[in-house]
Amino acid sequence: MSVSGITTAPGGLSPMPGAAPRRRILLSQALHEIRTTLRNGEQLLLTLVIPLLLLVGLSHLPTDLVGHSPSIDAVAPGVLALAVMSTAFTGQAIATGFERRYGVLKLLGATPLGRSGLVVAKTLGVLAVEVVQILLVAVVAFVLGWQPVGSAPSAVLLLVLGTAAFSALGLLLAGLLRAEATLAVANGVYLLLLAVGGVVIPADRLPAGVASVVSLLPSSALGQGLRDVLLHGQVFPLGPVVILLVWALVAGTITVRTFRWS
Amino acid sequence: MARAEVAVEITDLAVSYGSTHALGGLSFEVPAGQITALLGPNGAGKTTTIEVCEGYLSPDSGSVRVWGLDPVRDCAALRPRVGVMLQDGGIYSSIRAVPMLRHLASFYANPLDVDDLVARLGLGGVRATYRRMSGGEKQRLALACAVVGRPDLVFLDEPSAGMDPQTRLAAWDLVEQLRADGVTVVLTTHLIDEAERLADQVVIIDHGRLVTSGPTGELVGGGGVLSFTASEGLDLVPLRTRLPAGAVVLEGPPGHYRVEGEVGPQVLSAVGSWADALGVSPRDISTGRRSLEDVFLDLTGRELRS
């Protein structure tokens, strides 16, 4: 496993510049991002423990409270949305915010990885962690009796668009605020959206005035879109897809313009 | 003989942060294969200068060429060739030394042997994560990160800040070995002894402008100093007539005299006969080379350590 160079006389430090193949660099950084996330206790709490606890807890709620029988069918799509939000938004924002503060983004930007490579690797890392989350949530949900319906490609499209929108928002925070502020805001927004953002609890169960606003949020669009597909069997959830796309494009554009690397 | 290769060429470089002019018309060259020290007090513009060379900042005017390339436009070509040590940080807070170096090494085609590099810098016994390392350990790891990809040019921003004397020697040894193996090194420092010990060429900057630059030996070797103390306000005119051409005498703080120039027997005998004629006996006589600090003071009238 050792990355060994060829040491040549006299001091063994003679220049031999050259970048590794692009694919190897991106893979190396993506694996590093994944390892860092999966080894971090607070991140695991956020990305796996809370979603799984909610999945188990909410699936045992009475069906009249959830509005569907069996409860697990209504709860599982929302928990998938929460998993995406926790990794792409909260986890990525906090990690990137501190990397920026400690100069890591700055230094890596000067290596062959470069800034664009770093963004690509972070995205690959987020997607890989999401695959682990989705598999675990799905397995537990199946054990609890989940019977999803609907179009798998539509569900995947929603998950990808949700990742894009929440990644852009997470990086927007990380590139703009101080690391401590990013930590506070990313956690606070996570809790707020979990409670009233239409993720697990559908927006239409909130008071009417609130509901119309909440249903335009990416959290509600992702949660409701996944419920439309996996619970109600809708083929293509146009509304949620458009909302997520707009969030991704708008937040992405602002992030690209405002992101500070150091 | 061909003109010596130039690693970095800076021409009329100007950089502002808002209304603050960090650099105003700086020009100098970094010869390939040498150690060049950017010396100056805090806030002189040293970090700004190398951050332009590293492609982090774009010049407001003027130009910077690194190996003949534009650091911003040609960053993809330069990144594998240029090693960077930031003034502070750049390393994951919860990572240990060896995993950090192995990770960076994976970006390069022919990286240095990580175990060897760790041993050279005395980081082999360091088990702490970056966050818990001492200042000197952090600096040595950052130095290792800058060189692990086998660059032909490294920029080191205050490399020995926070190091104790022993680890500073280990870092200096590594920098000298880099030069011996053909790597071009540009470092910033406000430490005169570091510049004198390491640098082939010194570039002194202050207030974002070039004060002077040249081979270290020429800057410091352009004469010696003879200093002594005696009673205040002695008449220096008779001494000036006795001194050889090119030697200058002045009274600094009252009672402290300095003769600058080629300090040899002629100067010593001139001082002796002058003192004898006045009936005074000079005390604390010492001779030495002009230091970079003297050079800086002469040119700016300011203390270097500010």
Side-chain angles (χ1 to χ4, degrees), chain A residues 16 18 35 42 45 74 94 138 155 167 181 183 192 196 198-200 210 214 216 261:
Chain A
M16 210 183 279
R35 271 196 305 270
E42 291 147 42
L45 183 72
I94 294 169
S167 282
L183 176 76
L192 191 71
V196 295
V199 187
V200 184
V210 184
V214 167
L216 294 175
W261 292 85

Side-chain angles (χ1 to χ4, degrees), chain A residues 13-256:
Chain A
L13 302 169
S14 55
M16 210 183 279
R22 188 83 187 138
R23 198 182 297 174
R24 200 179 98 196
I25 295 176
L26 293 175
L27 183 67
S28 175
Q29 183 64 28
L31 286 173
H32 179 84
E33 301 280 346
I34 296 164
R35 271 196 305 270
T36 311
T37 307
L38 296 181
R39 277 184 192 162
N40 183 312
E42 291 147 42
Q43 292 262 30
L44 283 182
L45 183 72
L46 199 74
T47 55
L48 286 175
V49 177
I50 292 177
L52 288 173
L53 282 177
L54 280 172
L55 183 70
V56 174
L58 293 178
S59 69
H60 286 85
L61 285 179
T63 53
D64 55 334
L65 215 69
V66 179
H68 193 274
S69 176
S71 300
I72 185 68
D73 284 351
V75 169
V79 172
L80 289 177
L82 181 70
V84 166
M85 193 171 90
S86 66
T87 296
F89 176 71
T90 312
Q92 183 168 223
I94 294 169
T96 309
F98 280 96
E99 285 165 15
R100 180 177 139 236
R101 205 260 288 278
Y102 293 126
V104 177
L105 302 182
K106 184 173 182 177
L107 188 78
L108 292 182
T111 68
L113 176 66
R115 290 176 174 181
S116 60
L118 186 57
V119 174
V120 171
K122 278 190 174 292
T123 304
L124 290 175
V126 164
L127 290 173
V129 171
E130 285 178 0
V131 168
V132 173
Q133 289 177 292
I134 289 166
L135 286 177
L136 275 171
V137 168
V139 165
V140 173
F142 284 132
V143 170
L144 294 169
W146 183 35
Q147 287 185 314
V149 294
S151 149
S154 287
V156 170
L157 176 69
L158 285 163
L159 292 168
V160 168
L161 287 176
T163 302
F166 279 115
S167 282
L169 289 166
L171 292 177
L172 179 64
L173 290 184
L176 209 54
L177 305 181
R178 283 188 309 116
E180 290 79 3
T182 298
L183 176 76
V185 173
N187 278 323
V189 168
Y190 173 86
L191 289 174
L192 191 71
L193 292 182
L194 171 58
V196 295
V199 187
V200 184
I201 304 157
D204 58 20
R205 304 191 70 98
L206 300 168
V210 184
S212 57
V213 177
V214 167
S215 63
L216 294 175
L217 296 177
S219 50
S220 174
L222 183 57
Q224 195 53 50
L226 288 170
R227 279 186 291 274
D228 287 346
V229 174
L230 300 173
L231 176 64
H232 305 303
Q234 197 174 321
V235 178
F236 189 78
L238 183 63
V241 163
V242 170
I243 292 171
L244 289 174
L245 200 58
V246 169
W247 274 99
L249 290 174
V250 172
T253 306
I254 299 173
T255 303
V256 166

Side-chain angles (χ1 to χ4, degrees), chain B:
Chain B
M1 197 177 122
R3 182 165 164 268
E5 202 189 348
V6 173
V8 181
E9 188 174 10
I10 294 176
T11 315
D12 289 329
L13 175 63
V15 177
S16 309
Y17 301 110
S19 61
T20 318
H21 296 286
L23 295 177
L26 188 65
S27 303
F28 66 90
E29 284 185 356
V30 172
Q34 295 193 4
I35 300 172
T36 297
L38 294 188
L39 184 68
N42 293 330
K46 305 185 295 287
T47 297
T48 303
T49 305
I50 64 169
E51 293 207 335
V52 175
C53 299
E54 290 160 347
Y56 289 126
L57 295 171
S58 290
D60 292 339
S61 64
S63 83
V64 171
R65 288 290 174 273
V66 176
W67 298 124
L69 301 170
D70 181 314
V72 175
R73 202 186 56 221
D74 305 318
C75 62
L78 283 172
R79 278 181 195 137
R81 302 183 63 177
V82 175
V84 170
M85 175 181 179
L86 301 174
Q87 193 170 90
D88 190 27
I91 295 163
Y92 291 103
S93 62
S94 56
I95 203 166
R96 287 169 219 281
V98 170
M100 180 70 201
L101 288 169
R102 286 208 196 291
H103 181 53
L104 282 179
S106 72
F107 297 166
Y108 297 91
N110 319 292
L112 289 178
D113 184 87
V114 167
D115 296 322
D116 176 61
L117 187 57
V118 160
R120 275 171 192 271
L121 285 167
L123 288 167
V126 178
R127 293 277 164 268
T129 56
Y130 181 73
R131 177 186 338 171
R132 297 184 194 287
M133 287 180 191
S134 72
E137 288 165 352
K138 287 180 176 175
Q139 290 293 98
R140 278 178 285 153
L141 177 54
L143 177 58
C145 288
V147 304
V148 71
R150 294 187 94 144
D152 52 17
L153 172 61
V154 293
F155 291 101
L156 311 175
D157 200 354
E158 303 274 353
S160 63
M163 288 190 185
D164 60 50
Q166 255 182 328
T167 57
R168 177 169 297 167
L169 285 178
W172 286 357
D173 276 350
L174 186 85
V175 170
E176 286 175 334
Q177 283 163 22
L178 286 167
R179 171 181 54 192
D181 284 348
V183 180
T184 306
V185 179
V186 179
L187 58 89
T188 70
T189 184
H190 58 273
L191 303 174
I192 292 134
D193 57 342
E194 185 162 73
E196 277 195 20
R197 151 81 194 263
L198 283 178
D200 303 298
Q201 190 202 208
V202 177
V203 176
I204 302 182
I205 61 176
D206 191 23
H207 298 303
R209 288 175 185 281
L210 183 71
V211 175
T212 188
S213 70
T216 315
E218 281 179 26
L219 283 184
V220 300
V225 175
L226 173 112
S227 62
F228 59 92
T229 59
S231 46
E232 296 178 27
L234 295 175
D235 183 9
L236 294 174
V237 176
L239 177 53
R240 290 197 176 108
T241 61
R242 286 176 166 89
L243 284 171
V248 186
V249 62
L250 48 92
E251 185 177 1
H256 293 260
Y257 298 86
R258 285 167 68 83
V259 182
E260 296 190 0
E262 240 9 271
V263 176
Q266 272 186 294
V267 168
L268 286 168
S269 81
V271 171
S273 69
W274 166 75
D276 190 38
L278 287 182
V280 297
S281 61
R283 296 178 306 276
D284 308 321
I285 300 174
S286 70
T287 60
R289 285 186 320 149
R290 233 156 69 101
S291 69
L292 278 174
E293 179 117 44
D294 297 328
V295 174
F296 188 80
L297 268 169
D298 288 353
L299 292 168
T300 66
R302 300 190 334 117
E303 291 280 338
L304 194 44
R305 291 168 207 267
S306 60

